Amino acid sequence: MQFLACPPNYNFKLHAHPTIELAIPFVGELWERRLMGARLHQSIVARQPALSLSTEGEDKFYKGPSDEEIGNVKKSLQKQLAEKLVSMGSLGEFVDRGLSEGQVLLNEVGSIHQSYTQNRGCLLLVLWSGMHADLENYDCCAGVKGSESLFLP
């Protein structure tokens, strides 16, 4: 769980979700350009390598993955996505929608979207894994209706 402060007119990269994500704006608005009618199969965004659970020492409490481990998994996801997702063809459509204070956004595994803010920015409460599978190249979406309005990375 994390609070994210997103400044006005901020753009995230187009990305897919390797895990479920919940987001609730506490202040301001979050916008997204979501691919409706299509999503990636879970196997395309499966984490490789899996994160390990630390059992060092006598402490039996969970110790989360290091920043380096998360970075390695994120790089692996981006590479895997670039190799497996060549083209979405004309499947689906990118649609803009806004999320106001108190509304809940659910991003399913494999969902593809680009979040952004407008003039207000926002403060979000997010329950997520801490990583996205960023699409570094938007060519895979060239034939999808609404893709012409995607922001450049």
Side-chain angles (χ1 to χ4, degrees):
M1 187 168 18
Q2 183 177 31
F3 280 103
L4 289 177
C6 304
N9 303 308
Y10 180 78
N11 302 319
F12 287 88
K13 290 183 178 183
L14 180 65
H15 60 273
H17 284 270
T19 59
I20 285 180
E21 176 183 278
L22 291 172
I24 305 169
F26 277 14
V27 178
E29 296 175 326
L30 179 69
W31 288 81
E32 67 168 11
R33 184 160 288 124
R34 176 174 291 276
L35 180 58
M36 304 296 282
R39 68 177 187 189
L40 299 177
H41 189 271
Q42 208 170 4
S43 65
I44 294 177
V45 289
R47 290 185 291 192
Q48 299 295 332
L51 294 173
S52 60
L53 178 62
S54 176
T55 57
E56 294 177 13
E58 298 174 25
D59 190 354
K60 298 294 182 193
F61 293 104
Y62 172 74
K63 180 181 176 189
S66 69
D67 289 343
E68 182 180 353
E69 286 176 302
I70 290 173
N72 289 339
V73 170
K74 185 173 182 173
K75 285 178 190 173
S76 172
L77 279 170
Q78 289 171 335
K79 182 179 181 215
Q80 188 172 303
L81 202 55
E83 290 171 357
K84 291 183 178 180
L85 185 61
V86 177
S87 174
M88 294 289 293
S90 60
L91 194 59
E93 175 182 358
F94 281 99
V95 175
D96 283 290
R97 61 186 188 179
L99 193 66
S100 300
E101 295 168 1
Q103 292 182 314
V104 178
L105 173 67
L106 168 66
N107 290 310
E108 300 170 318
V109 173
S111 63
I112 299 174
H113 72 122
Q114 182 173 37
S115 300
Y116 61 96
T117 61
Q118 294 183 340
N119 294 333
R120 292 184 62 196
C122 68
L123 176 64
L124 295 172
L125 174 63
V126 185
L127 180 61
W128 72 317
S129 65
M131 69 181 79
H132 292 142
D134 293 336
L135 283 101
E136 297 293 330
N137 183 335
Y138 293 7
D139 291 346
C140 65
C141 298
V144 179
K145 184 177 179 182
S147 65
E148 63 280 353
S149 58
L150 291 172
F151 305 112
L152 296 175

